[in-house]
Amino acid sequence: MAQPLAERMRPKTLDEYIGQKHLVGEGCVLRQMIDSGHISSFILWGPPGVGKTTLAQIIANKLDTPFYTLSAVTSGVKDVRDIIEKASKGRFFNERSPILFIDEIHRFSKSQQDSLLGAVEKGTVTLIGATTENPSFEVIRPLLSRCQLYVLKSLDKEDLLELLNRAVTSDAELSQRNIELKETDALLRYSGGDARKLLNILELVVGSESGDKVVITDEKVASRLQQNPLAYDKDGEMHYDIISAFIKSIRGSDPDAALYWMARMIEGGEDPQFIARRMIISASEDIGLANPNALLLANAAFDAVMKIGWPEGRIPLAECAVYLATSPKSNSAYMGIGSALEEVRRSGNLPVPLHLRNAPTDLMKELGYSDGYKYAHDYPGNFVVQQYLPDAIKDKQFWYAQHTPAEEKLYQRMQQCWGKDYASK
């Protein structure tokens, strides 16, 4: 049986690898790590079809080291321990650690992830995990702390066009056909930045044509996919396009659209925990201080889904979606932390003012630590004017209030305390 086009086109080297220049481009972090021959454990996080598995295989080939693969869907703790034991016994002194690649590591249970800790910490194996879900939620903290995290991005238009042209000119089968890419908008749109999906669609369209001459048009692509909607990964498209529409409907205060897109996700078999997590993020990012109760309700909805399961879990999710959509909106906290992070990256590790430092020892007291600190509760209204930022940025402002009814009270208090204009930019 012939291999699918996506498998035939899988890159073997970094020079053939398309996309992720921020990681594997010249001088970038993963490229330097690979070229040096010293790989530490890491997790690749990104949407489907962007090259996570391919990158792991390229690394193994480049380093010429044993490469073990586990799928979190089909493997258990015993499988993990068997591979760790095999890796330990088969490794010679000063030889590089074998690579253990775990696809969909977010599907591993806590006990499965726990079984990896010792081997990763001792260097028995070098772990490369791949996940489409946020590792902060799905990977246990001890394992996450032992791994670097690298974020892979959806392939952009130029990447996808390069892949298409490479496929029709260099693939052993497609290069035998006279393929003209007359129009590519539909190919790119349906692929959604997923290289595997793009190649699957191309293979479907070409395979449905008789004769050596094949002209790819947008109409032809749309027609073939309607005839065979399962020929491409609609779950991946739903996972990213529909969740985007759902969150933007909440942000835009449209409860009807929010419920519709939630229903689409439910009917499509989306993980209810994923929906609940995204609503927690939305409650903080889009509603924020305009209605702090939104975060409480979003957390409660997540807990309710965990407790009662499916299908009843749709009810608290729907309640939360409507509440978030109908709440007043503010992104002042979201914008504030973004501004503060930019400043930290720009100015680096500025020293903490002496009066704010802790002084648990006599030596620290002698050096002036904590000297001159004013305890706010000793002053009227539990406030006293005092410098809290480093000297170099002492007058910087990161938070700007947005005048929703709830946030107006915070704004008025800050003006009363500091006399600054905390109003929204």
Side-chain angles (χ1 to χ4, degrees):
M1 184 177 178
Q3 284 186 317
L5 174 62
E7 193 59 36
R8 300 198 304 270
M9 290 298 299
R10 190 182 291 277
K12 302 295 191 297
T13 68
L14 282 180
D15 292 333
E16 297 174 358
Y17 191 81
I18 293 176
Q20 316 310 329
K21 299 300 183 187
H22 63 296
L23 295 177
V24 299
E26 290 297 330
C28 293
V29 57
L30 268 181
R31 167 78 72 160
Q32 288 184 328
M33 191 187 297
I34 295 166
D35 288 344
S36 72
H38 299 292
I39 298 292
S40 57
S41 293
F42 60 84
I43 292 174
L44 299 171
W45 173 29
V50 296
K52 297 186 292 294
T53 302
T54 298
L55 190 53
Q57 292 178 344
I58 288 174
I59 291 171
N61 292 337
K62 172 80 173 177
L63 300 184
D64 191 24
T65 188
F67 185 76
Y68 301 99
T69 301
L70 286 177
S71 170
V73 178
T74 58
S75 305
V77 173
K78 183 179 183 299
D79 299 301
V80 175
R81 288 176 176 159
D82 286 348
I83 282 186
I84 290 172
E85 184 179 359
K86 186 185 298 183
S88 179
K89 289 181 177 177
R91 184 184 174 194
F92 295 101
F93 184 68
N94 279 342
E95 193 177 48
R96 291 192 185 98
S97 300
I99 292 174
L100 171 57
F101 175 70
I102 300 181
D103 197 16
E104 298 188 87
I105 195 171
H106 59 275
R107 294 180 181 269
F108 257 8
S109 66
K110 182 180 182 300
S111 62
Q112 288 171 307
Q113 293 184 37
D114 280 337
S115 66
L116 291 165
L117 287 176
V120 172
E121 191 163 28
K122 295 173 185 175
T124 305
V125 296
T126 297
L127 173 66
I128 301 179
T131 177
T132 56
E133 300 291 338
N134 189 332
S136 299
F137 295 114
E138 304 295 349
V139 179
I140 60 173
R141 187 172 298 276
L143 185 57
L144 198 56
S145 69
R146 289 164 172 80
C147 300
Q148 295 296 315
L149 176 63
Y150 300 116
V151 180
L152 280 70
K153 303 173 183 177
S154 294
L155 300 183
D156 60 24
K157 181 179 179 180
E158 288 71 24
D159 293 331
L160 295 171
L161 288 175
E162 181 183 349
L163 181 59
L164 279 175
N165 285 301
R166 185 182 295 179
V168 300
T169 58
S170 65
D171 176 66
E173 294 187 21
L174 294 193
S175 61
Q176 301 301 310
R177 311 283 295 272
N178 184 7
I179 300 173
E180 178 187 353
L181 296 170
K182 185 176 182 180
E183 296 172 332
T184 57
D185 285 352
L187 282 169
L188 302 184
R189 185 173 68 253
Y190 281 117
S191 74
D194 182 330
R196 186 185 308 109
K197 186 189 296 185
L198 178 70
L199 294 174
N200 286 345
I201 297 171
L202 176 63
E203 187 171 36
L204 170 70
V205 175
V206 172
S208 65
E209 295 287 298
S210 58
D212 290 335
K213 178 69 174 178
V214 180
V215 179
I216 305 292
T217 64
D218 292 344
E219 182 181 1
K220 186 174 292 183
V221 170
S223 173
R224 297 296 182 268
L225 292 181
Q226 288 169 7
Q227 292 175 11
N228 188 359
L230 296 181
Y232 64 98
D233 181 13
K234 66 187 176 101
D235 290 336
E237 185 175 0
M238 280 203 315
H239 189 73
Y240 293 98
D241 295 345
I242 295 185
I243 193 64
S244 175
F246 173 62
I247 294 301
K248 288 172 182 173
S249 299
I250 290 175
R251 183 179 300 143
S253 299
D254 188 336
D256 299 308
L259 285 173
Y260 170 78
W261 293 118
M262 177 178 282
R264 285 281 300 273
M265 287 188 285
I266 291 171
E267 282 298 298
E270 184 58 87
D271 181 356
Q273 292 182 40
F274 174 74
I275 301 172
R277 283 197 301 270
R278 292 307 300 261
M279 287 199 291
I280 291 174
I281 296 169
S282 178
S284 299
E285 178 180 344
D286 296 316
I287 293 139
L289 296 171
N291 180 9
N293 286 329
L295 181 56
L296 299 178
L297 186 65
N299 267 304
F302 183 90
D303 289 342
V305 168
M306 296 291 287
K307 289 174 182 174
I308 66 178
W310 213 241
E312 290 80 2
R314 75 190 189 283
I315 304 169
L317 287 183
E319 177 187 352
C320 182
V322 171
Y323 186 80
L324 297 186
T326 54
S327 286
K329 305 298 190 292
S330 170
N331 70 345
S332 67
Y334 170 76
M335 297 297 289
I337 187 60
S339 179
L341 285 168
E342 284 181 21
E343 178 60 41
V344 168
R345 290 162 188 153
R346 185 190 69 80
S347 56
N349 295 326
L350 297 176
V352 176
L354 282 175
H355 67 281
L356 296 182
R357 299 188 191 186
N358 194 24
T361 69
D362 289 339
L363 175 60
M364 288 179 171
K365 291 175 184 175
E366 291 172 9
L367 293 173
Y369 282 35
S370 198
D371 188 25
Y373 171 66
K374 299 173 184 177
Y375 186 56
H377 296 291
D378 287 341
Y379 295 84
N382 301 313
F383 174 80
V384 61
V385 173
Q386 183 172 217
Q387 179 185 327
Y388 291 99
L389 282 169
D391 292 339
I393 57 169
K394 64 180 181 179
D395 296 321
K396 271 280 187 181
Q397 185 174 330
F398 302 112
W399 178 69
Y400 291 85
Q402 297 174 6
H403 293 311
T404 59
E407 205 160 345
E408 181 71 26
K409 295 179 181 178
L410 305 178
Y411 165 66
Q412 295 294 344
R413 181 169 187 275
M414 289 298 96
Q415 267 206 326
Q416 181 182 357
C417 289
W418 292 101
K420 291 184 187 178
D421 183 10
Y422 276 95
S424 179
K425 286 182 177 179

